[in-house]
Amino acid sequence: MAGITDATQMPAGPVVKGKLSRDDILMRGGMMVIALYLIITLALPLYAMLSKSFSTYRVELSQYEFQISDDAGVFDGTILNAEVLNQQTGGIDPADLNTGSDGRLPVTGLFPDFSFRSPVMYQVRNTSDEGRFLVGSTLQDGTDWVTLDSNTFRRVQLRPVKATGFDNFINYFSTPALFNSIKNSLWIAVISTIVTVTLAFWFAYALNRSCMRYKGVFRLIAMAPILVPSLLPGIALVYLFGNQGIAKELLFGASIYGPIGIVIGSIFFTFPHAFMIISTALAISDARLYEAAASLRATRWRTFWTVTIPGARYGLISAAFVVFNLVITDFGLPKVIGGQFNVLAVDIYKQVIGQQNFEMGAVVSVVLVIPAIFAFAIDRLVQSKQVALLSARSVPYQPQPNQRTDMISFIYCAFVGLFIVGILAICQYAALIKFWPYDLSLSLNNYQFDKMDGGGWASYYNSIKLGLFTAVFGTAIVFFGAYLVEKTNGFRTGRALFQMFAMLPMAIPGMVLGLAYIFFFNSPSNPLNAIYGTMAILVICSVTHFYTVSHLTAVTALKQMDREFESVSASLKQPTMKLFSRVTVPVCLPSVLDISIYLFVNAMTTVSAVVFLYSPKTSLASIAVLNMDDAGDIAPAAAMGMMIFYTNAVARIIHLLVSKGVLVRTQAWRTR
């Protein structure tokens, strides 16, 4: 019987692979194009920055030789090697040999008795083709002797040689002032996270677990800080608690310039992010659990700890890591009010702008990326578990009126709302004061931006252009990319790689991305060098920086669409792009509009991502706030910050009106 069974078995046939259709080829090609965009605008710049952090520059004294004449200018043929000479005289500190790419080491330090008035002549040469030295501004890279008089010899400067190693990291961690920035950044981020998440939790709890009045108003107030750059709360705190602040006595002698100011300002600008996450977690709580607790006669306090907190724990953890990430990577607020309290983000700015030490700036960027990526990875893990907790049988919780609870909730929300509105109000008040605190009469002089440092009104209009370009091009790129990765058949490996690149921007601080763009796009060998210093690079940087949240929004909307749409389209032999334009975009239009306003608002408020990339012709409003504050024009800086706020508020209102009108026509099917 076994033999018969073997004889009747069919031989294994060839593996048949499905033939790719024209639409499949187009969709995979489109995905590869957008993936190439992310590689060019994200992966390659980050690689350039990482390479820069390992690039070391050192003056190799062994590569230089000298001859010295007598007073008559006659050379006796004695050759002096610079390294041996320095060992004899000790004129140059070995620590000074480690320098940056633009380092210059005066050669006269090797000759303790040097005098530029001496009749003595000098000869200098490189011993190898790698050696280089400057005579004034003329580069000498040959091995021939160069004869110079004493007056010219004092202008000789040795140039460093490039190498690769960990010297930059060793120097960074061995410098107490720089290494201390890590501790400061972590401490500020932890304290700000604890306070912000606590305040945001009770605010969200009050709105979701009470029947208090004016919930809509408080929700609008809670979201207001998103509309302003992070520098603005710092300016407000200076007017409130600075050396000439109206309420500086409330600090009992403590200074607002430092950790206190950074923490308070961080609470302000991160509060809406924590509130949104925690509010979402509380809104999806299952009412059946509360009914079970009530039937078991559990106290409200016990119910809170056994039902509410466990149900919202993933939201709390996610909010904590989001706030931590925002605080530790923020640049604007510590720059305005940090004083001498150094943090990592400001160190990058000081190394690049202040000292032109791009290698050390790259090192600090790498150090800053590590906690940011760690916080992002934990946040993504937590969010995946949060989704897994949802149940189709869940019953939304409906709070019951309770006069005492509602009153306490209202008072608490009013207190938090007063803090947020107060920060904005003091900025607007400061923007209208003639000369604080000596002339408190109202005036519009501070809005004469063309008379201030920072770029004038042109910077404001540039920000609007940047916001519009980012919203239009960014929305198109992000949504189309999300559609391709979500609706493409097969191609699992390619889709996974695309998702990885799409998620990476969230973990990269804006300042790190901006610095990486300098190393990559400012290289003369890069064919894309032409866009450096133009509006185009600002748009590209903004789209890339805010890509992840927009991508997740688009993917969430596309997941709600059944794949039967694609099957029906294929059965009717309709091209995929027709389905995309006629069905997918109209159905997902609410998310498309949300992505556009998200990109516009963030492009208007961003500072860190563009602080290294703007040119005099492309200065932005948020950068103007920073520059005016640096120049001491704090009131005009507050005025420009409020212009950003009002512009974003108007954009939000227009977005709501347009959305309402457009959605009535395109989303009517939802109400059938």
Side-chain angles (χ1 to χ4, degrees):
M1 294 296 292
I4 295 175
T5 302
D6 294 338
T8 57
Q9 286 183 346
M10 298 294 292
V15 178
V16 179
K17 294 183 179 180
K19 185 178 180 181
L20 293 178
S21 66
R22 179 175 177 271
D23 285 342
D24 289 335
I25 296 174
L26 288 176
M27 293 182 73
R28 294 187 183 190
M31 189 190 308
M32 293 176 66
V33 169
I34 297 181
L36 181 62
Y37 165 84
L38 290 173
I39 291 173
I40 294 175
T41 61
L42 183 64
L44 293 181
L46 291 177
Y47 175 77
M49 185 199 70
L50 186 63
S51 300
K52 196 73 171 180
S53 68
F54 290 100
S55 297
T56 60
Y57 292 86
R58 178 180 174 85
V59 177
E60 297 292 345
L61 294 179
S62 60
Q63 295 181 350
Y64 305 97
E65 292 181 341
F66 303 95
Q67 291 190 58
I68 307 176
S69 73
D70 56 19
D71 290 344
V74 178
F75 295 94
D76 61 6
T78 303
I79 298 177
L80 304 173
N81 182 270
E83 185 174 20
V84 176
L85 191 61
N86 191 51
Q87 291 174 356
Q88 296 172 353
T89 64
I92 298 178
D93 191 332
D96 294 335
L97 300 178
N98 295 317
T99 182
S101 59
D102 198 41
R104 291 171 169 81
L105 184 66
V107 76
T108 53
L110 295 169
F111 304 93
D113 299 329
F114 173 79
S115 172
F116 70 93
R117 295 188 178 92
S118 171
V120 172
M121 301 290 290
Y122 293 86
Q123 286 187 331
V124 57
R125 73 173 180 182
N126 301 304
T127 61
S128 68
D129 293 334
E130 294 182 356
R132 298 180 304 157
F133 63 90
L134 291 171
V135 180
S137 58
T138 304
L139 180 66
Q140 302 289 337
D141 54 5
T143 56
D144 296 332
W145 288 106
V146 178
T147 304
L148 306 167
D149 58 36
S150 296
N151 187 44
T152 306
F153 185 70
R154 66 172 176 169
R155 300 172 60 198
V156 174
Q157 295 178 314
L158 307 182
R159 298 284 281 128
V161 176
K162 182 179 179 180
T164 301
F166 291 91
D167 290 352
N168 292 329
F169 289 90
I170 294 173
N171 292 338
Y172 176 81
F173 288 106
S174 61
T175 305
L178 293 176
F179 183 71
N180 197 46
S181 297
I182 300 177
K183 182 186 70 175
N184 291 343
S185 295
L186 292 174
W187 184 75
I188 287 293
V190 170
I191 296 298
S192 300
T193 298
I194 293 173
V195 177
T196 303
V197 171
T198 302
L199 293 174
F201 172 79
W202 289 111
F203 194 89
Y205 185 86
L207 294 183
N208 287 278
R209 293 290 188 271
S210 74
C211 295
M212 56 172 280
R213 303 176 64 185
Y214 307 116
K215 289 185 179 182
V217 175
F218 285 120
R219 287 185 186 274
L220 288 176
I221 293 175
M223 302 307 296
I226 288 182
L227 306 180
V228 300
S230 62
L231 304 92
L232 205 61
I235 294 174
L237 292 174
V238 170
Y239 277 98
L240 285 171
F241 306 111
N243 295 331
Q244 296 177 324
I246 58 179
K248 63 179 181 179
E249 294 80 8
L250 296 179
L251 293 182
F252 302 102
S255 175
I256 196 67
Y257 301 99
I260 296 177
I262 298 175
V263 169
I264 296 176
S266 298
I267 293 171
F268 174 84
F269 85 85
T270 60
F271 182 85
H273 301 275
F275 165 71
M276 284 189 295
I277 296 171
I278 297 173
S279 182
T280 301
L282 290 173
I284 62 175
S285 296
D286 194 343
R288 296 175 301 169
L289 299 176
Y290 291 90
E291 293 173 0
S295 65
L296 293 174
R297 298 182 180 179
T299 62
R300 297 186 64 181
W301 189 245
R302 184 175 179 82
T303 302
F304 174 79
W305 284 107
T306 58
V307 179
T308 303
I309 293 297
R313 67 183 183 276
Y314 291 117
L316 289 169
I317 296 172
S318 181
F321 280 107
V322 168
V323 172
F324 178 89
N325 207 344
L326 289 171
V327 175
I328 202 171
T329 60
D330 181 57
F331 158 74
L333 181 63
K335 180 66 174 63
V336 170
I337 205 169
Q340 301 302 314
F341 190 82
N342 290 334
V343 295
L344 287 170
V346 177
D347 274 354
I348 298 175
Y349 183 80
K350 289 180 178 179
Q351 292 293 333
V352 174
I353 301 299
Q355 302 181 28
Q356 296 292 300
N357 191 342
F358 292 93
E359 290 76 22
M360 192 59 70
V363 169
V364 183
S365 297
V366 173
V367 174
L368 180 59
V369 164
I370 294 174
I373 290 181
F374 175 76
F376 171 74
I378 298 296
D379 176 50
R380 296 310 306 166
L381 178 63
V382 168
Q383 288 193 23
S384 66
K385 291 187 176 182
Q386 172 72 33
V387 174
L389 286 177
L390 294 176
S391 171
R393 297 182 179 180
S394 297
V395 178
Y397 178 82
Q398 296 293 335
Q400 300 299 319
N402 183 299
Q403 186 175 0
R404 181 171 175 270
T405 302
D406 295 345
M407 181 58 67
I408 294 175
S409 299
F410 180 83
I411 293 174
Y412 176 77
C413 290
F415 173 79
V416 175
L418 181 64
F419 166 71
I420 295 174
V421 174
I423 292 291
L424 296 174
I426 195 66
C427 282
Q428 182 57 76
Y429 179 62
L432 296 174
I433 295 299
K434 278 189 176 181
F435 188 60
W436 182 280
Y438 306 106
D439 186 354
L440 301 182
S441 58
L442 301 182
S443 170
L444 294 177
N445 290 340
N446 293 322
Y447 287 89
Q448 297 179 1
F449 300 127
D450 291 333
K451 297 181 179 179
M452 317 290 179
D453 292 330
W457 278 103
S459 62
Y460 172 72
Y461 298 130
N462 284 337
S463 280
I464 295 179
K465 292 178 184 177
L466 174 63
L468 292 175
F469 287 144
T470 302
V472 173
F473 294 108
T475 302
I477 294 171
V478 171
F479 187 79
F480 190 58
Y483 174 78
L484 293 174
V485 76
E486 184 64 26
K487 299 300 182 180
T488 297
N489 296 319
F491 202 42
R492 181 176 301 178
T493 302
R495 292 164 61 191
L497 290 174
F498 186 95
Q499 284 281 33
M500 181 188 71
F501 283 117
M503 301 304 294
L504 186 59
M506 177 67 85
I508 305 301
M511 179 156 285
V512 174
L513 185 63
L515 184 58
Y517 272 40
I518 293 180
F519 298 141
F520 182 68
F521 287 102
N522 197 33
S523 173
S525 60
N526 190 334
L528 298 175
N529 175 261
I531 70 171
Y532 190 80
T534 66
M535 181 63 71
I537 196 171
L538 299 180
V539 174
I540 291 171
C541 183
S542 298
V543 172
T544 305
H545 185 208
F546 304 113
Y547 192 97
T548 301
V549 173
S550 304
H551 175 78
L552 292 174
T553 302
V555 168
T556 302
L558 290 165
K559 283 184 179 295
Q560 297 175 357
M561 293 187 62
D562 199 316
R563 282 191 170 269
E564 291 297 325
F565 284 106
E566 282 72 29
S567 300
V568 172
S569 175
S571 66
L572 295 175
K573 298 183 179 180
Q574 297 298 313
T576 300
M577 290 300 100
K578 188 173 183 180
L579 172 68
F580 175 77
S581 61
R582 296 286 184 88
V583 178
T584 305
V585 172
V587 169
C588 298
L589 197 56
S591 296
V592 172
L593 294 174
D594 288 343
I595 292 171
S596 65
I597 192 63
Y598 169 82
L599 291 173
F600 179 87
V601 169
N602 280 280
M604 286 289 297
T605 59
T606 186
V607 178
S608 57
V610 295
V611 70
F612 295 138
L613 302 177
Y614 73 95
S615 66
K617 294 182 179 180
T618 59
S619 179
L620 304 173
S622 57
I623 301 299
V625 176
L626 176 67
N627 291 337
M628 286 190 285
D629 179 77
D630 279 345
D633 297 326
I634 303 179
M640 182 65 84
M642 292 308 297
M643 287 300 301
I644 296 175
F645 170 72
Y646 292 132
T647 303
N648 284 335
V650 170
R652 283 280 187 181
I653 294 173
I654 294 174
H655 168 257
L656 290 175
L657 295 177
V658 172
S659 298
K660 185 176 181 180
V662 172
L663 299 184
V664 166
R665 293 185 298 171
T666 62
Q667 306 296 306
W669 59 274
R670 293 181 181 269
T671 60
R672 292 177 181 174

